[in-house]
Amino acid sequence: MKNDFSTYLKTISIFIILFLCGFRTQDSIYPEQIDWETHFLAKPDKLSPYAALTVTNWHYSYSSKISGNNLHIDFKFSGGVVPSQSWVKPDRIRIKKISRQLLNHEQGHVNINFLLLKEGEIQIRFQKYTVSNYKRLIQANANKIGKYYSDMQDRYDVETKHGTDLEAQARWDDYIRSEMNKHEN
């Protein structure tokens, strides 16, 4: 009887360990992988010369507590694709190879936005703030990092010719991947 109880305890212990390991917290956050059906829900702009438009956003917020000269700031960061504003022209993606190439290009925009999310958090969260400067510095840092990545989005489109220059696209894919690898935990 004692042997059965011991086996029972060992079995339960193993089950609990396996169960808890299955629910580890995820340290790494990855950009969402887009697809035409879920992320491009807006009506296409018929006047646009482009085949698709990916709209992304980035938000930060904070709350602060001041006690004397002690400052405590809690930050929240979010970002991603805005499907209700992103669109694709279905007639431009009928050929599978073209569809994959264009989706890869649009994924690049999402990945750049992911870099903004990660770098924005680092640049804003880990800045040295004081009671007298935190509001101004948070806003200045957010504007600086936002402009940097907005300019990068524009350069990405110009240099890749909106994904049609496959060599330039491959160079950008490599660059974006290397930048994303810097944020892996």
Side-chain angles (χ1 to χ4, degrees):
M1 182 97 155
K2 185 175 182 183
N3 200 13
D4 288 341
F5 184 72
S6 175
T7 303
Y8 174 74
L9 281 178
K10 286 178 186 174
T11 304
I12 292 296
S13 297
I14 291 171
F15 176 77
I16 290 171
I17 290 170
L18 290 173
F19 181 78
L20 293 175
C21 288
F23 288 97
R24 287 188 318 220
T25 58
Q26 184 176 354
D27 293 332
S28 297
I29 298 172
Y30 300 98
E32 59 194 305
Q33 296 300 302
I34 58 172
D35 63 70
W36 296 126
E37 295 78 30
T38 326
H39 296 91
F40 296 85
L41 304 178
K43 185 177 175 184
D45 180 352
K46 292 181 181 183
L47 300 177
S48 173
Y50 306 116
L53 173 73
T54 303
V55 176
T56 58
N57 63 25
W58 173 62
H59 298 286
Y60 72 94
S61 63
Y62 66 92
S63 60
S64 59
K65 288 184 182 178
I66 300 171
S67 176
N69 280 337
N70 293 325
L71 172 67
H72 177 75
I73 305 173
D74 285 320
F75 290 99
K76 292 183 183 172
F77 300 88
S78 64
V81 179
V82 183
S84 64
Q85 296 176 19
S86 302
W87 52 261
V88 63
K89 294 178 180 174
D91 60 313
R92 303 280 289 272
I93 59 168
R94 288 199 176 117
I95 299 169
K96 281 189 178 191
K97 182 179 179 182
I98 302 289
S99 177
R100 281 192 308 269
Q101 289 170 349
L102 181 59
L103 190 62
N104 177 66
H105 175 77
E106 298 306 316
Q107 183 68 51
H109 285 293
V110 174
N111 294 348
I112 291 170
N113 191 69
F114 172 78
L115 292 173
L116 164 61
L117 179 64
K118 296 298 275 185
E119 272 303 309
E121 181 173 0
I122 290 167
Q123 295 292 326
I124 293 171
R125 184 182 302 275
F126 300 111
Q127 173 76 36
K128 298 279 186 197
Y129 298 110
T130 66
V131 170
S132 63
N133 74 7
Y134 76 98
K135 290 179 182 178
R136 180 179 47 80
L137 283 181
I138 290 171
Q139 184 66 53
N141 287 334
N143 290 345
K144 180 180 170 185
I145 197 82
K147 180 170 179 8
Y148 177 83
Y149 282 97
S150 177
D151 291 348
M152 182 184 288
Q153 294 278 15
D154 293 342
R155 281 193 323 275
Y156 174 67
D157 271 338
V158 168
E159 291 177 15
T160 64
K161 296 181 175 77
H162 295 271
T164 61
D165 182 333
L166 300 182
E167 288 179 22
Q169 183 67 52
R171 283 191 301 274
W172 269 95
D173 290 346
D174 290 343
Y175 171 74
I176 293 168
R177 191 175 311 106
S178 72
E179 290 298 303
M180 288 174 45
N181 287 340
K182 293 176 183 177
H183 295 287
E184 286 188 359
N185 293 335

